[in-house]
Amino acid sequence: MRTRGPLALGLLLVLGTAAGFGISLVVAEHPPGSGAAAPVAAQSPSLPVDPVPELLPDPPTAPLAPSLDLVRTSVGTGDFQMSLPVPRGWDFFVNSLNEWQWRPPDQPDFGYVLRVEQVLSNRRSIQWTLENRIAELDEDEDNVEILSQDDGLLHFTFVTSNHLRHGYLTWLDLTGSDNAQVEIAVTGREVDDAGMADLVARVAAGIELG
């Protein structure tokens, strides 16, 4: 009976040694870090960016000149007929019952063009129409940049078929209704800017109903 004490003590020593060896293995495989943990810099997510297209050269035709010779013509029918000044000698095209277009004869693509449209049925103010058109441009065109918007006149650029285009848009109220009734647009190249600004202003100043 007296031998049980030494035997039990020996067994405890063996178990303690084995346990200590096992702990040392765990510590050796996973050593404690030395020093304070360094924070990891957060990576900010990249935002989507519209790719800049490779632009193609514009046609080498002469720039649209200011102070073109204008001639008066009529479009529309009945109560919606109106007269307006348009560049003399330009070809005339009917886009629809309420939209018309003029451009120089034999002009290559991506030159300059004048477009006039009656928008009487919209019954919206000129300011609302301008702001809505900006939203439409952003949705329908690529790389739209608004250069200026003032007193119902919008000047902007966009890219179509890898060509940089400049555009002017303005709206008129011809009856005092405070609604946009006529839309005038001139589209062309950067070199046509001065001529386009002059043309859209002169056409707008000369439009009359009837």
Side-chain angles (χ1 to χ4, degrees), residues 107-196:
Q107 179 180 237
D109 292 336
F110 304 106
Y112 41 83
V113 59
L114 165 68
R115 181 181 59 82
V116 175
E117 179 182 1
Q118 287 178 333
V119 291
L120 293 165
S121 60
N122 290 352
R123 298 182 181 178
R124 299 286 189 174
S125 70
I126 290 176
Q127 184 60 34
W128 183 95
T129 305
L130 185 151
E131 294 172 357
N132 187 65
R133 180 52 58 88
I134 291 176
E136 291 176 347
L137 287 170
D138 286 333
E139 182 177 350
D140 298 338
E141 306 292 351
D142 295 328
N143 302 89
V144 174
E145 181 179 357
I146 305 301
L147 302 181
S148 66
Q149 49 177 315
D150 182 50
D151 195 24
L153 176 65
L154 182 64
H155 181 203
F156 59 98
T157 63
F158 62 102
V159 175
T160 181
S161 301
N162 293 88
H163 284 82
L164 177 64
R165 306 292 286 157
H166 281 241
Y168 284 85
L169 276 167
T170 193
W171 294 268
L172 303 178
D173 166 25
L174 301 180
T175 63
S177 66
D178 196 33
N179 292 333
Q181 298 173 337
V182 179
E183 176 178 289
I184 307 169
V186 183
T187 307
R189 307 158 298 178
E190 184 176 4
V191 296
D192 303 318
D193 250 352
M196 290 193 296

Side-chain angles (χ1 to χ4, degrees), residues 45-67:
S46 58
L47 298 176
V49 177
D50 290 337
V52 178
E54 181 179 354
L55 297 178
L56 298 175
D58 290 327
T61 51
L64 176 60
S67 303

